């Protein structure tokens, strides 16, 4: 690629910031415009490694804002779009769904329309395996699995996927969809399972495990996800869908116990609480297609990467203390008070 102008939306969130830091550390043939609204989940501190780079610019704004999005495409001559921006937490979508549909569906529509107007080269819609719904004890999600989303969050992501594909079929917009499994790693907001359990353990607080703790998620290190998105950016086929996963299924209770063990904390901190409504039982992803067609495969080993992640949270107390002392406290109370 020659120098290419990439619009990364949601680049101040967990995965988007890891992606930008990764991309700019490894290549100088790209110019990245990070468009992020800085919701509760957006944190510019995540971008310290990139903020002074000449080929990086931050724009604070909302992807649902047509005028602003048009201005950004025009001013920076955007050629590629990677849409990470989203409301991303299932529990929040149960507490209030409107903003999920506004950002994840309408916001994606605004970006797709601008991409048509400016005839961009590729649009990557960063989606999730949650659009496939829930699995029984056997089997894996493939790209051909039917869409069967169960939460307001996953239904908003599935809606955006269908819209993106419609823009490919109807207008020939070069859209590619990625569907990744559960990520973990540095800069993950402490509402998600792994950082929440690490931080509660460090603070000797109870660890709220939903239901029987036997729900299964398929875990991938965020750095493996970054490389997959970069691969799709370069080689993904327009109109294509690519599952991304590292074949590392874990029961929630086993992750929680592993975290306690690494931190030398007692299992008596575990507290089984009321289950999440509509809680998907199991996710597990088949990523044969991206391996065979595009040559990507995960390289990080779960045991090492989870240890790195735990160490990062130990070393970066200032980062998460600032978060949990703010608005997050109110949310935590609403969600867990009556469980
Ligand atoms: P996150 O919640 O950490 O970050 C989301 C970012 O989007 C934040 O910086 C936020 O400020 C920004 N944002 C929200 N609404 C916006 C708006 N209207 N306009 C502009 N910016 C806005 O999320 P994440 O975990 O980094 O997930 C990123 C993407 O990856 C999402 O699309 C999510 O659906 C998808 N995904 C996440 C996972 C996971 O395990 N976290 C797995 C698969 C796919
Ligand atoms: P989460 O990190 O919210 O990701 P997702 O629901 O999108 O997969 O949750 C991962 C799993 O952990 C999920 O089965 C719900 C469970 N969980 C708990 O048991 N307790 C918690 O406090 C949280 C946040 C999640």
């Amino acid at each position: 690629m020659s120098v290419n102008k990439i619009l990364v939306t949601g680049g101040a969130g967990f995965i988007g910031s890891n992606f930008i830091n990764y991309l700019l550390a490894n290549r100088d043939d790209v110019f990245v415009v990070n468009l992020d609204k800085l919701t509760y989940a957006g944190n510019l501190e995540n971008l310290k490694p990139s903020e002074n780079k000449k080929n990086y610019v931050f724009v604070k704004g909302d992807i649902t804002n047509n005028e602003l999005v048009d201005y950004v495409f025009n001013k920076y001559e955007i050629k590629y779009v990677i849409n990470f921006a989203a409301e991303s937490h299932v529990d929040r979508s149960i507490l209030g769904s409107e903003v999920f549909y506004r950002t994840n569906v309408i916001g994606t529509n605004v970006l797709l329309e601008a991409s048509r107007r400016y005839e961009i080269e590729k649009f990557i819609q960063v989606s999730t395996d949650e659009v496939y719904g829930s699995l029984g004890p056997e089997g894996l999600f493939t790209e051909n699995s039917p869409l069967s989303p169960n939460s307001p969050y996953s239904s908003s992501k599935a809606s955006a996927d269908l819209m993106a594909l419609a823009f490919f079929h109807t207008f020939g917009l070069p859209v590619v969809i990625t569907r990744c499994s559960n990520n973990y790693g540095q800069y993950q907001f402490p509402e998600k399972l792994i950082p929440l359990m690490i931080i509660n353990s460090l603070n000797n607080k109870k660890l709220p495990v939903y239901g029987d703790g036997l729900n299964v998620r398929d875990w991938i290190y965020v750095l493996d996800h970054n490389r997959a998105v970069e691969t799709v950016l370069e080689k993904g086929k327009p109109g294509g869908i690519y599952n991304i996963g590292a074949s590392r299924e874990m029961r929630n209770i086993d992750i929680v116990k592993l975290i306690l063990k690494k931190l030398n904390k007692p299992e008596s901190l575990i507290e089984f609480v009321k289950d999440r409504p509509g809680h998907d039982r199991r996710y597990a992803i088949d990523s044969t297609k991206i391996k065979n067609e595009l040559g990507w495969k995960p390289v990080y080993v779960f045991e090492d990467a989870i240890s790195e992640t735990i160490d990062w949270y130990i070393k970066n107390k200032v980062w998460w203390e600032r978060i949990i002392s703010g608005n997050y406290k109110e949310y935590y109370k609403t969600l867990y008070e009556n469980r």
Side-chain angles (χ1 to χ4, degrees):
M1 272 201 241
S2 55
V3 172
N4 282 310
K5 311 268 183 77
I6 307 176
L7 174 64
V8 175
T9 68
F14 163 49
I15 303 175
S17 63
N18 272 289
F19 178 77
I20 291 175
N21 292 336
Y22 160 80
L23 201 68
L24 294 182
N26 288 295
R27 33 203 303 184
D28 48 20
D29 60 342
V30 292
F31 184 90
V32 171
V33 180
N34 175 10
L35 173 62
D36 196 297
K37 186 182 180 181
L38 299 183
T39 66
Y40 78 93
N43 186 347
L44 288 179
E45 280 185 45
N46 303 1
L47 290 149
K48 283 237 160 70
S50 303
E51 66 189 9
N52 293 322
K53 297 229 153 107
K54 284 200 291 287
N55 53 343
Y56 169 76
V57 66
F58 173 69
V59 179
K60 181 175 185 301
D62 193 322
I63 58 165
T64 66
N65 181 337
N66 254 305
E67 278 170 24
L68 174 73
V69 166
D70 190 85
Y71 167 84
V72 168
F73 272 73
N74 188 25
K75 172 161 183 189
Y76 295 105
E77 298 172 336
I78 297 301
K79 285 279 166 269
Y80 296 86
V81 177
I82 309 178
N83 184 25
F84 288 102
E87 287 293 333
S88 69
H89 192 42
V90 174
D91 290 319
R92 283 183 191 261
S93 79
I94 296 167
L95 292 175
S97 65
E98 196 211 332
V99 69
F100 281 74
Y101 296 107
R102 195 170 342 115
T103 290
N104 302 359
V105 184
I106 305 294
T108 302
N109 178 255
V110 168
L111 294 169
L112 288 166
E113 286 289 3
S115 299
R116 272 181 71 202
R117 282 197 302 280
Y118 289 91
E119 298 180 346
I120 63 152
E121 308 272 324
K122 196 175 274 181
F123 187 107
I124 300 184
Q125 174 63 11
V126 179
S127 187
T128 163
D129 61 354
E130 300 191 27
V131 297
Y132 298 121
S134 185
L135 288 167
E138 302 291 323
L140 303 173
F141 296 131
T142 73
E143 289 81 356
N144 296 322
S145 300
L147 296 184
S148 183
N150 292 317
S151 70
Y153 163 68
S154 56
S155 68
S156 71
K157 295 295 289 186
S159 308
D161 285 13
L162 292 176
M163 177 170 34
L165 288 174
F167 272 64
F168 168 72
H169 290 290
T170 306
F171 306 115
L173 189 72
V175 166
V176 189
I177 292 176
T178 62
R179 292 185 179 145
C180 191
S181 63
N182 285 63
N183 284 224
Y184 64 96
Q186 59 186 2
Y187 302 121
Q188 187 166 30
F189 194 86
E191 64 189 353
K192 303 287 197 309
L193 179 75
I194 289 182
L196 182 93
M197 297 300 168
I198 297 172
I199 290 170
N200 280 15
S201 303
L202 289 171
N203 286 335
N204 298 309
K205 271 180 76 173
K206 290 283 184 195
L207 310 188
V209 174
Y210 298 164
D212 59 9
L214 301 182
N215 298 63
V216 171
R217 296 293 182 263
D218 193 351
W219 294 94
I220 183 171
Y221 194 40
V222 66
L223 302 186
D224 272 330
H225 187 188
N226 290 343
R227 289 177 31 263
V229 172
E230 184 188 28
T231 305
V232 170
L233 179 66
E234 291 185 324
K235 300 193 247 172
K237 207 169 124 235
I241 299 170
Y242 296 92
N243 282 353
I244 302 168
S247 304
R248 197 57 163 90
E249 288 181 55
M250 293 278 287
R251 302 187 309 181
N252 293 340
I253 190 68
D254 296 331
I255 296 240
V256 170
K257 286 185 179 168
L258 183 150
I259 291 169
L260 284 168
K261 192 156 176 239
K262 291 221 185 272
L263 292 173
N264 223 356
K265 300 283 183 177
E267 289 191 3
S268 55
L269 285 178
I270 295 173
E271 184 174 52
F272 288 94
V273 300
K274 204 165 116 214
D275 209 354
R276 172 189 279 172
H279 195 176
D280 285 338
R281 193 62 171 172
R282 174 172 168 260
Y283 303 145
I285 205 147
D286 179 340
S287 35
T288 308
K289 182 179 172 189
I290 188 171
K291 286 178 185 152
N292 289 350
E293 272 190 22
L294 308 185
W296 170 88
K297 65 173 189 321
V299 297
Y300 292 93
V301 174
F302 178 80
E303 282 69 18
D304 300 338
I306 193 81
S307 289
E308 288 262 322
T309 303
I310 294 172
D311 286 344
W312 187 86
Y313 281 90
I314 295 172
K315 287 193 201 112
N316 289 275
K317 208 170 166 195
V318 176
W319 181 87
W320 53 261
E321 273 191 332
R322 229 173 264 163
I323 293 172
I324 59 174
S325 60
N327 283 344
Y328 182 60
K329 267 189 172 162
E330 278 309 304
Y331 161 78
Y332 198 91
K333 254 175 50 197
T334 319
L335 189 66
Y336 293 106
E337 211 160 50
N338 299 316
R339 265 196 144 116

